[in-house]
Structures are given as structure tokens and as C-alpha cells.
Amino acid sequence: MSNYLKAIGPFLFLCILFQTPLWGQVNSIGNQDIVSGEVWKDTDGNVINAHGGGIIFYKGKYYWYGEHRPSSGFTTQVGVTCYSSADLRNWKYEGVALAVSDEVGSDIEKGCIIERPKVIYNQKTGKFVMWFHLELKGKGYGPARAGVAISNTPVGPYTFIRSGRINPGVYPMNMTLEERKLTWNPNEYEWWTPEWREAINKGMFVKRDLESGQMSRDMTLFVDEDGKAYHIYSSEENLTLQIAELSDDYLSHTGKYIRIFPGGHNEAPAIFKKDGTYWMVASGCTGWKPNEARLMTASSILGEWSQLPNPCVGKNAKITFGGQSTYILPLKEGGYMFMADMWHPSSLKDSRYIWLPIRFDEKGIPFIEWLDKW
């Protein structure tokens, strides 16, 4: 037992005995508990607007990046916001980390769609790199691009570099030579038929998008222990997840990538690593409606992945407690925190946040259980 646990042991026992919260829910300083599904406000008293986002820890602070969503509609009018905190409960608004552009024709022109922003820090370059799902203004969800921006500081401003599809002209590492030689006409297949499913499994949409590059929608980023970074995204019309290695500066792709669970219809990936094993939580594709989460695991990030049952347990587990995964944060104190969005499509600005601890069963398999506060 650590000296810290020895020191607080008697106090912890009394708290449990008298059912008293260890730190208290709220005091004059600010929020002392994480209460999922409620309206969260920053330290200025304004509602936090940072949806579909992720968090990094840097020099004693957490930095939370997310989509600034409007009261009505679905397009991006502001950009990506940033908040900072020392304790994950009290958040200071740091401003707009990446702003949309007023320039007509810009990839990030005001009225585009920016979703799922994630930031990682590059130890070699000293730069903060942001990737996000981007749809061009007026094009709906057809472009299916990934955008990248860079900054010298965690709060920005981030400078937009470019957007595009992923690894044009390159086949996935785990697509066989036989599959690469096949030719397809997607218009000849009726969706969801056995023949169509077989064609998807063998890479029909990979071949269709080979020249332009692979589609990229819901996404996340992951930096491994060796400093290698990976871009995980929903591709092939949201039918297949792909995992792509990033370059050493994190600003482009190396051409190494794999497909996992072809035709599985997974989106909203969130990934972490524990004791040499990779774990990923994703959701099904049901629009803004919540669905049952999926759990996946692998011993190598570019290796074989297998799927396990829903990691959520308890009441409303079959709809991920009303939310959809967005990120899994390793905590500085140890452990991991599952982050999800409780989408309100009638007013996306009012979408709520679900943050819950990840725990592990006797076999070491992660599970997530609802807590009113923690």
C-alpha cells in the first residue's frame, strides 16, 4: 500500500461508513464531482461547448478540445474550442483553438462541418497536432476528409495545414494480393445482401476509393509508448474501421494502414492501451440515436483485432447510457476515463457529456458502469 493510501485510509473508512462523499460534491471553490448528463459550466459560468472531443495532459494541466456546436443546425460556425483544468472538474475557457475561415473556398470555410477534433503532442518537434473529421461547406457528408492543424502551444491558435482523404493509391497491409486484383462495380450490388457483404469484406469500397484516398469520418488519435502515432477512423461509407500510422511529425500518413471488422458498421472509436494490450470502444451507426457499444482488443495495433461483448453494464447499458463514445483518457493518477456525448440533435449545443471510470474484471477485461457522480 502506498504511503498516500496509508495516510488517507482512516478518513476513507469513515467516509464509507457514514456514506459521505470523499471530497464533497460542490464547495465555494467549484465542482468536486463529475456528474454525467448534467449541464456543465466553465469557471466563468458559461455552458461548456466542446463536443465529440478529446483531452491531453501537459505540464500539470488537462486540455479539452471539442466541437463548438450551434443552438440549431449542424454546420460549424465557430470552430474547435479549448478548455483547461487541473482536476478534470473545473474548466477554464481558453478560447477557440482552431477557428473557421471567412475565406470563400477555404477547406474550413465557415459553414463547413468539423467533427471529432483530437490533439496529440509530438515530443520530437515540440508541436501540438490536431486532426479532425472535415466535410466541405455545402457538400453534406460526401467529402469524408481528415484535416490537420498545428500549434506551438496547447491552447493555440492552431494553423490549418490541409485536408484530404487517407493514403491515396495505397492498399491496406492486411488486404490480400488476391483481393487487390479483384475488380468491382459497386452499382451492381444491392446494399445489405449477402453478395454485397462479401464484396465489402473483400475491399470493394477500398478499391473504389483507391485513387482519391480512403474516406475518413468519426476518428480518434493514439500515441503509443514508442512515440508512434495512429489515426483511427470510420471509413468505407462508415462500414469499416481503418487504423493508419502517422509520420514522425504526426502531420501526414506513412502508407501503413489496416482494415478491421469490414462491414461491421462501427464509428466513434476510442482507444487505450493497458499492460501491452490495446482496447477500443466504438458504437454502431444509428445517426444521433444511442446504441450498444462494441469492445475490441488486440495485442498489436496493426495486427489482428477481435471483438468482445458490450463493455457497458447495468441500467441503460444497451444504449451506452444514452451516449456515444468519443475518447478514452489515461489519468495522471492512474486508470482510464471513458468519454461520451449524449447528443441532442434538436440543439447540438445542449448535448451533454458522459465521463465514467473504466474498471476491469477478474480476467482483466474493461467494463463501464454508470455512476451518478464520482
Side-chain angles (χ1 to χ4, degrees):
M1 181 181 293
S2 69
N3 291 332
Y4 172 74
L5 287 176
K6 288 179 180 177
I8 71 166
F11 176 53
L12 179 61
F13 172 76
L14 290 173
C15 290
I16 295 172
L17 181 64
F18 294 103
Q19 297 183 341
T20 303
L22 181 57
W23 307 119
Q25 183 177 1
V26 178
N27 63 17
S28 59
I29 298 174
N31 300 317
Q32 296 303 304
D33 289 317
I34 293 174
V35 184
S36 294
E38 298 296 321
V39 174
W40 292 2
K41 294 184 178 182
D42 63 22
T43 53
D44 293 324
N46 299 313
V47 175
I48 293 175
N49 196 332
H51 308 282
I55 296 175
I56 65 169
F57 182 73
Y58 180 73
K59 290 189 175 180
K61 281 188 179 181
Y62 291 99
Y63 293 90
W64 176 10
Y65 308 88
E67 310 158 9
H68 184 284
R69 286 291 192 170
S71 297
S72 62
F74 303 95
T75 61
T76 303
Q77 302 296 314
V78 175
V80 177
T81 51
C82 177
Y83 296 80
S84 67
S85 174
D87 60 11
L88 290 174
R89 299 182 297 276
N90 299 284
W91 292 94
K92 175 187 175 184
Y93 179 57
E94 297 286 358
V96 179
L98 175 68
V100 293
S101 174
D102 292 325
E103 179 186 348
V104 176
S106 167
D107 286 3
I108 58 169
E109 181 182 356
K110 184 177 181 180
C112 67
I113 299 174
I114 293 175
E115 296 181 338
R116 307 277 166 171
K118 304 293 185 293
V119 172
I120 49 179
Y121 177 66
N122 191 305
Q123 294 280 358
K124 293 180 180 178
T125 65
K127 304 291 186 181
F128 296 85
V129 179
M130 177 189 296
W131 284 87
F132 51 92
H133 165 212
L134 175 69
E135 302 291 352
L136 303 177
K137 182 179 180 179
K139 301 294 183 180
Y141 278 85
R145 292 188 177 194
V148 60
I150 193 170
S151 174
N152 292 321
T153 68
V155 299
Y158 284 74
T159 301
F160 175 70
I161 298 176
R162 67 180 174 279
S163 77
R165 289 195 172 183
I166 312 300
N167 289 320
V170 182
Y171 284 106
M173 297 166 62
N174 58 349
M175 191 170 174
T176 68
L177 291 176
E178 180 182 350
E179 290 170 341
R180 298 180 190 192
K181 292 177 182 178
L182 295 172
T183 57
W184 310 95
N185 182 357
N187 296 326
E188 295 179 354
Y189 292 84
E190 182 181 350
W191 280 53
W192 309 116
T193 62
E195 295 79 14
W196 175 87
R197 289 183 181 277
E198 182 182 6
I200 293 300
N201 288 342
K202 292 182 177 179
M204 178 170 67
F205 285 162
V206 172
K207 200 74 175 277
R208 181 198 68 181
D209 297 334
L210 188 66
E211 184 177 348
S212 62
Q214 301 302 305
M215 303 175 79
S216 175
R217 290 190 179 132
D218 278 10
M219 57 141 285
T220 193
L221 300 175
F222 175 74
V223 179
D224 215 334
E225 295 158 342
D226 60 2
K228 282 285 185 183
Y230 298 88
H231 181 196
I232 301 102
Y233 50 94
S234 187
S235 191
E236 302 174 39
E237 304 290 355
N238 285 14
L239 290 164
T240 305
L241 288 173
Q242 295 184 357
I243 302 176
E245 183 184 77
L246 293 176
S247 58
D248 286 345
D249 60 10
Y250 302 170
L251 299 178
S252 60
H253 298 84
T254 65
K256 292 182 179 180
Y257 74 107
I258 61 169
R259 311 166 68 222
I260 62 172
F261 308 108
H265 229 201
N266 293 296
E267 64 179 9
I271 187 173
F272 72 103
K273 183 180 183 181
K274 182 179 186 293
D275 300 331
T277 298
Y278 300 86
W279 301 95
M280 190 188 307
V281 178
S283 83
C285 298
T286 53
W288 300 103
K289 295 181 180 179
N291 56 64
E292 189 171 6
R294 291 96 182 266
L295 178 65
M296 307 158 191
T297 187
S299 59
S300 171
I301 195 166
L302 293 178
E304 293 291 328
W305 284 77
S306 58
Q307 187 164 333
L308 285 72
N310 179 9
C312 299
V313 298
K315 185 179 179 180
N316 292 324
K318 289 190 175 182
I319 55 169
T320 316
F321 316 115
Q324 184 186 42
S325 50
T326 184
Y327 196 70
I328 294 173
L329 173 69
L331 301 173
K332 63 179 180 179
E333 301 87 354
Y336 304 86
M337 184 177 78
F338 172 73
M339 299 171 57
D341 294 280
M342 188 179 286
W343 295 114
H344 291 175
S346 60
S347 178
L348 289 175
K349 180 180 180 180
D350 187 45
S351 297
R352 309 293 174 81
Y353 312 102
I354 296 174
W355 291 3
L356 295 168
I358 293 178
R359 292 183 284 175
F360 299 85
D361 65 17
E362 65 279 1
K363 296 181 180 179
I365 298 174
F367 69 93
I368 307 162
E369 187 173 19
W370 179 267
L371 296 175
D372 290 332
K373 60 185 178 181
W374 60 290

